[in-house]
Amino acid sequence: MSFSIAGKTAIVTGAANGIGLAIARHFVEEGANVMFVDMDDAALTAQIGDKVGEIGPIRMFNGDLRQKLTIANLLSATIDAFERIDILVNAARQVMPGDAMNPDDKAIETALQQNVLAGLRLSQMIAKRMIKQASEAGDDSGQAGSIINLSSITPRRTHPDLLAFSVSAAALDQATRSLALALAPRRVRVNAVAFGSVMSASLKRSLKEDEGLRESVLSVTPMGRIAKSSELAAAVQFLASEASAFVTGQILTVDGGRTLLDPVAGVAH
Protein backbone atom coordinates (compact mmCIF):
# COMPACT_ATOMS: atom_id res chain seq x y z
CA MET A 1 0.00 0.00 0.00
CA SER A 2 1.12 3.55 -0.75
CA PHE A 3 1.65 6.44 1.66
CA SER A 4 1.05 8.86 -1.21
CA ILE A 5 -1.64 11.53 -1.01
CA ALA A 6 -0.64 13.14 -4.31
CA GLY A 7 -3.65 14.37 -6.24
CA LYS A 8 -5.97 13.97 -3.25
CA THR A 9 -7.99 16.92 -1.97
CA ALA A 10 -7.71 17.73 1.72
CA ILE A 11 -9.39 20.20 4.03
CA VAL A 12 -7.22 21.15 7.02
CA THR A 13 -8.78 23.27 9.77
CA GLY A 14 -6.78 25.36 12.21
CA ALA A 15 -4.35 25.94 9.34
CA ALA A 16 -3.35 29.55 10.07
CA ASN A 17 -0.68 28.62 12.58
CA GLY A 18 0.95 25.91 14.66
CA ILE A 19 0.37 22.25 14.01
CA GLY A 20 -2.56 22.77 11.63
CA LEU A 21 -0.39 24.97 9.42
CA ALA A 22 2.45 22.41 9.54
CA ILE A 23 0.11 19.61 8.45
CA ALA A 24 -1.42 21.68 5.64
CA ARG A 25 2.02 22.66 4.31
CA HIS A 26 3.22 19.06 4.54
CA PHE A 27 0.23 17.90 2.52
CA VAL A 28 0.99 20.50 -0.16
CA GLU A 29 4.59 19.28 -0.32
CA GLU A 30 3.27 15.74 -0.75
CA GLY A 31 1.25 16.77 -3.79
CA ALA A 32 -2.24 17.16 -2.33
CA ASN A 33 -4.76 19.89 -3.15
CA VAL A 34 -5.27 21.68 0.17
CA MET A 35 -7.94 24.01 1.51
CA PHE A 36 -6.38 25.95 4.41
CA VAL A 37 -9.16 26.78 6.89
CA ASP A 38 -9.12 29.04 9.94
CA MET A 39 -11.30 31.56 11.74
CA ASP A 40 -8.37 34.00 12.04
CA ASP A 41 -8.49 35.73 8.67
CA ALA A 42 -5.48 37.98 9.32
CA ALA A 43 -3.23 35.09 10.35
CA LEU A 44 -4.42 32.93 7.47
CA THR A 45 -3.77 35.69 4.94
CA ALA A 46 -0.36 36.40 6.45
CA GLN A 47 0.67 32.76 6.13
CA ILE A 48 -0.56 31.85 2.66
CA GLY A 49 -2.37 34.84 1.17
CA ASP A 50 0.44 35.65 -1.28
CA LYS A 51 1.21 31.97 -1.95
CA VAL A 52 -2.12 30.90 -3.43
CA GLY A 53 -1.35 29.75 -6.94
CA GLU A 54 2.41 29.79 -6.33
CA ILE A 55 3.32 26.86 -4.05
CA GLY A 56 0.77 24.42 -5.39
CA PRO A 57 -2.97 23.83 -5.68
CA ILE A 58 -4.08 25.57 -2.47
CA ARG A 59 -6.96 27.75 -1.39
CA MET A 60 -7.89 29.40 1.88
CA PHE A 61 -11.20 29.74 3.68
CA ASN A 62 -11.97 31.95 6.65
CA GLY A 63 -14.92 31.33 8.95
CA ASP A 64 -16.23 30.16 12.31
CA LEU A 65 -16.90 26.43 11.95
CA ARG A 66 -19.14 26.48 15.00
CA GLN A 67 -21.72 27.95 12.63
CA LYS A 68 -23.56 25.45 10.40
CA LEU A 69 -23.79 27.91 7.51
CA THR A 70 -20.01 28.32 7.57
CA ILE A 71 -19.57 24.55 7.25
CA ALA A 72 -21.90 24.48 4.24
CA ASN A 73 -20.00 27.37 2.65
CA LEU A 74 -16.68 25.58 3.22
CA LEU A 75 -17.98 22.46 1.51
CA SER A 76 -19.17 24.48 -1.48
CA ALA A 77 -15.91 26.44 -1.73
CA THR A 78 -13.83 23.26 -1.69
CA ILE A 79 -15.94 21.56 -4.35
CA ASP A 80 -15.82 24.70 -6.52
CA ALA A 81 -12.04 24.79 -6.24
CA PHE A 82 -11.13 21.09 -6.45
CA GLU A 83 -14.34 19.24 -7.42
CA ARG A 84 -14.03 16.62 -4.67
CA ILE A 85 -12.93 16.00 -1.06
CA ASP A 86 -10.86 12.98 -0.06
CA ILE A 87 -9.36 13.93 3.30
CA LEU A 88 -10.49 16.01 6.28
CA VAL A 89 -8.07 16.94 9.05
CA ASN A 90 -9.78 18.50 12.07
CA ALA A 91 -6.76 20.32 13.50
CA ALA A 92 -8.54 23.36 14.95
CA ARG A 93 -8.50 23.12 18.73
CA GLN A 94 -8.29 25.36 21.75
CA VAL A 95 -6.27 24.52 24.86
CA MET A 96 -7.31 26.28 28.03
CA PRO A 97 -6.39 25.73 31.69
CA GLY A 98 -9.08 24.73 34.16
CA ASP A 99 -9.13 24.03 37.88
CA ALA A 100 -10.87 20.74 38.67
CA MET A 101 -12.00 22.06 42.07
CA ASN A 102 -13.39 25.30 40.65
CA PRO A 103 -14.54 24.41 37.14
CA ASP A 104 -15.46 27.20 34.76
CA ASP A 105 -18.65 26.14 33.01
CA LYS A 106 -18.03 28.62 30.20
CA ALA A 107 -14.55 27.17 29.56
CA ILE A 108 -15.94 23.64 29.39
CA GLU A 109 -18.69 24.72 26.98
CA THR A 110 -16.16 26.57 24.82
CA ALA A 111 -13.84 23.56 24.74
CA LEU A 112 -16.64 21.21 23.75
CA GLN A 113 -17.94 23.56 21.05
CA GLN A 114 -14.51 24.28 19.56
CA ASN A 115 -12.75 20.94 20.04
CA VAL A 116 -15.60 18.47 19.57
CA LEU A 117 -18.87 19.74 18.15
CA ALA A 118 -17.50 21.95 15.37
CA GLY A 119 -15.34 19.15 14.02
CA LEU A 120 -18.08 16.57 14.46
CA ARG A 121 -20.58 18.60 12.44
CA LEU A 122 -17.98 19.23 9.75
CA SER A 123 -17.08 15.54 9.67
CA GLN A 124 -20.72 14.53 9.25
CA MET A 125 -21.23 16.86 6.30
CA ILE A 126 -17.92 16.01 4.61
CA ALA A 127 -18.53 12.27 5.10
CA LYS A 128 -21.84 12.57 3.24
CA ARG A 129 -20.00 14.24 0.37
CA MET A 130 -17.36 11.49 0.34
CA ILE A 131 -20.06 8.81 0.21
CA LYS A 132 -21.86 10.65 -2.61
CA GLN A 133 -18.63 10.91 -4.62
CA ALA A 134 -17.94 7.18 -4.31
CA SER A 135 -21.51 6.34 -5.28
CA GLU A 136 -21.46 8.59 -8.35
CA ALA A 137 -18.14 7.13 -9.46
CA GLY A 138 -19.43 3.59 -9.06
CA ASP A 139 -16.51 2.88 -6.72
CA ASP A 140 -17.45 0.07 -4.36
CA SER A 141 -14.00 -1.23 -3.46
CA GLY A 142 -11.51 1.44 -2.41
CA GLN A 143 -11.82 3.88 0.47
CA ALA A 144 -14.32 6.70 0.03
CA GLY A 145 -12.48 9.08 2.31
CA SER A 146 -10.46 9.58 5.46
CA ILE A 147 -11.16 11.84 8.43
CA ILE A 148 -8.43 12.52 10.99
CA ASN A 149 -9.01 14.32 14.29
CA LEU A 150 -6.21 15.89 16.31
CA SER A 151 -6.59 14.75 19.89
CA SER A 152 -4.30 14.72 22.91
CA ILE A 153 -2.77 12.44 25.52
CA THR A 154 -4.51 14.47 28.25
CA PRO A 155 -7.47 12.05 28.66
CA ARG A 156 -4.97 9.37 29.67
CA ARG A 157 -2.89 11.63 31.91
CA THR A 158 -5.70 13.24 33.95
CA HIS A 159 -3.86 16.52 34.38
CA PRO A 160 -5.49 18.43 37.29
CA ASP A 161 -5.06 21.86 35.65
CA LEU A 162 -6.56 21.01 32.27
CA LEU A 163 -10.11 20.00 33.14
CA ALA A 164 -11.94 21.62 30.20
CA PHE A 165 -9.42 20.56 27.58
CA SER A 166 -9.09 17.03 28.97
CA VAL A 167 -12.85 16.55 28.96
CA SER A 168 -13.10 17.78 25.37
CA ALA A 169 -10.22 15.54 24.24
CA ALA A 170 -11.84 12.50 25.87
CA ALA A 171 -15.13 13.35 24.17
CA LEU A 172 -13.33 13.74 20.83
CA ASP A 173 -11.76 10.28 21.18
CA GLN A 174 -15.18 8.73 21.75
CA ALA A 175 -16.71 10.73 18.90
CA THR A 176 -13.92 9.41 16.66
CA ARG A 177 -14.74 5.80 17.53
CA SER A 178 -18.50 6.28 17.22
CA LEU A 179 -18.29 8.01 13.86
CA ALA A 180 -15.82 5.40 12.61
CA LEU A 181 -18.26 2.61 13.44
CA ALA A 182 -21.15 4.40 11.73
CA LEU A 183 -19.16 5.14 8.56
CA ALA A 184 -17.20 1.90 8.21
CA PRO A 185 -19.80 0.22 5.98
CA ARG A 186 -19.64 3.26 3.67
CA ARG A 187 -15.83 3.02 3.49
CA VAL A 188 -15.11 6.36 5.14
CA ARG A 189 -12.43 5.90 7.79
CA VAL A 190 -12.22 8.01 10.95
CA ASN A 191 -9.15 8.06 13.19
CA ALA A 192 -7.37 10.43 15.55
CA VAL A 193 -3.81 11.31 16.47
CA ALA A 194 -3.23 11.87 20.19
CA PHE A 195 0.03 13.69 20.67
CA GLY A 196 2.27 14.83 23.46
CA SER A 197 4.88 17.58 23.18
CA VAL A 198 5.32 18.88 19.63
CA MET A 199 7.48 21.89 18.75
CA SER A 200 4.61 24.16 17.77
CA ALA A 201 4.69 27.96 17.75
CA SER A 202 2.93 28.09 21.13
CA LEU A 203 5.38 25.66 22.73
CA LYS A 204 8.33 27.65 21.36
CA ARG A 205 6.93 30.77 23.04
CA SER A 206 6.40 28.89 26.29
CA LEU A 207 9.97 27.55 26.24
CA LYS A 208 11.29 31.10 25.86
CA GLU A 209 9.15 32.35 28.74
CA ASP A 210 9.96 29.48 31.12
CA GLU A 211 13.61 28.41 31.27
CA GLY A 212 12.83 25.23 33.19
CA LEU A 213 10.02 24.06 30.93
CA ARG A 214 12.20 22.19 28.42
CA GLU A 215 13.77 20.06 31.13
CA SER A 216 10.35 19.38 32.64
CA VAL A 217 9.02 18.16 29.28
CA LEU A 218 12.07 16.01 28.59
CA SER A 219 11.94 14.46 32.05
CA VAL A 220 8.51 12.95 31.34
CA THR A 221 9.29 11.89 27.75
CA PRO A 222 11.18 8.57 27.54
CA MET A 223 12.62 9.39 24.10
CA GLY A 224 14.17 12.49 25.64
CA ARG A 225 13.16 15.08 23.07
CA ILE A 226 10.29 17.15 21.74
CA ALA A 227 8.68 15.99 18.48
CA LYS A 228 9.06 17.95 15.27
CA SER A 229 5.82 19.14 13.70
CA SER A 230 6.82 17.21 10.57
CA GLU A 231 6.72 13.97 12.57
CA LEU A 232 3.14 14.61 13.59
CA ALA A 233 2.25 15.58 10.02
CA ALA A 234 3.73 12.28 8.80
CA ALA A 235 1.50 10.34 11.22
CA VAL A 236 -1.53 12.22 9.90
CA GLN A 237 -0.45 11.45 6.33
CA PHE A 238 -0.30 7.74 7.19
CA LEU A 239 -3.91 7.82 8.37
CA ALA A 240 -4.94 9.78 5.27
CA SER A 241 -3.25 7.41 2.82
CA GLU A 242 -3.99 3.96 1.41
CA ALA A 243 -1.28 2.58 3.71
CA SER A 244 -3.85 2.65 6.53
CA ALA A 245 -6.74 1.37 4.40
CA PHE A 246 -7.83 -1.17 7.05
CA VAL A 247 -7.42 1.20 10.02
CA THR A 248 -10.45 2.97 11.48
CA GLY A 249 -11.68 4.05 14.90
CA GLN A 250 -8.13 4.19 16.26
CA ILE A 251 -6.41 6.78 18.43
CA LEU A 252 -2.79 6.78 17.24
CA THR A 253 -0.52 7.98 20.04
CA VAL A 254 2.51 10.06 19.04
CA ASP A 255 4.19 11.06 22.30
CA GLY A 256 7.70 9.61 22.49
CA GLY A 257 6.52 7.11 25.09
CA ARG A 258 5.17 9.72 27.48
CA THR A 259 1.94 7.93 28.31
CA LEU A 260 3.96 4.88 29.35
CA LEU A 261 5.04 6.91 32.39
CA ASP A 262 1.77 8.83 32.87
CA PRO A 263 2.85 11.17 35.69
CA VAL A 264 -0.33 12.83 36.97
CA ALA A 265 1.41 16.05 38.00
CA GLY A 266 3.67 16.23 34.95
CA VAL A 267 4.02 19.36 32.84
CA ALA A 268 0.96 20.07 30.69
CA HIS A 269 2.80 20.67 27.39
Side-chain angles (χ1 to χ4, degrees), residues 76-237:
S76 296
T78 307
I79 296 302
D80 287 345
F82 303 119
E83 299 184 353
R84 60 180 294 112
I85 303 169
D86 304 292
I87 303 161
L88 169 63
V89 182
N90 286 309
R93 62 188 209 139
Q94 185 174 351
V95 181
M96 66 281 289
D99 185 350
M101 289 300 294
N102 297 286
D104 182 344
D105 290 346
K106 185 175 181 180
I108 295 174
E109 290 174 4
T110 298
L112 289 172
Q113 283 287 343
Q114 177 68 35
N115 300 340
V116 183
L117 296 177
L120 178 58
R121 295 188 188 106
L122 178 59
S123 297
Q124 291 166 335
M125 185 171 288
I126 297 301
K128 291 176 182 177
R129 174 64 194 188
M130 292 172 171
I131 293 167
K132 182 174 183 289
Q133 289 170 176
S135 176
E136 291 176 345
D139 181 4
D140 58 0
S141 57
Q143 66 174 350
S146 179
I147 297 171
I148 302 103
N149 296 319
L150 283 201
S151 185
S152 168
I153 61 173
T154 53
R156 293 160 62 183
R157 295 184 64 242
T158 319
H159 198 286
D161 297 325
L162 287 175
L163 174 65
F165 180 65
S166 297
V167 168
S168 69
L172 179 61
D173 288 354
Q174 186 57 41
T176 298
R177 288 186 283 262
S178 296
L179 198 57
L181 189 59
L183 292 173
R186 312 303 294 274
R187 294 176 292 108
V188 174
R189 300 183 298 108
V190 187
N191 294 286
V193 177
F195 60 94
S197 299
V198 176
M199 192 57 79
S200 62
S202 60
L203 181 52
K204 286 180 181 178
R205 288 194 297 270
S206 297
L207 290 172
K208 288 182 179 180
E209 296 169 358
D210 184 348
E211 294 181 359
L213 179 58
R214 181 181 296 272
E215 186 56 39
S216 296
V217 170
L218 299 185
S219 69
V220 294
T221 306
M223 292 189 73
R225 65 180 179 85
I226 296 171
K228 302 173 185 176
S229 58
S230 60
E231 292 174 309
L232 182 61
V236 174
Q237 179 183 346

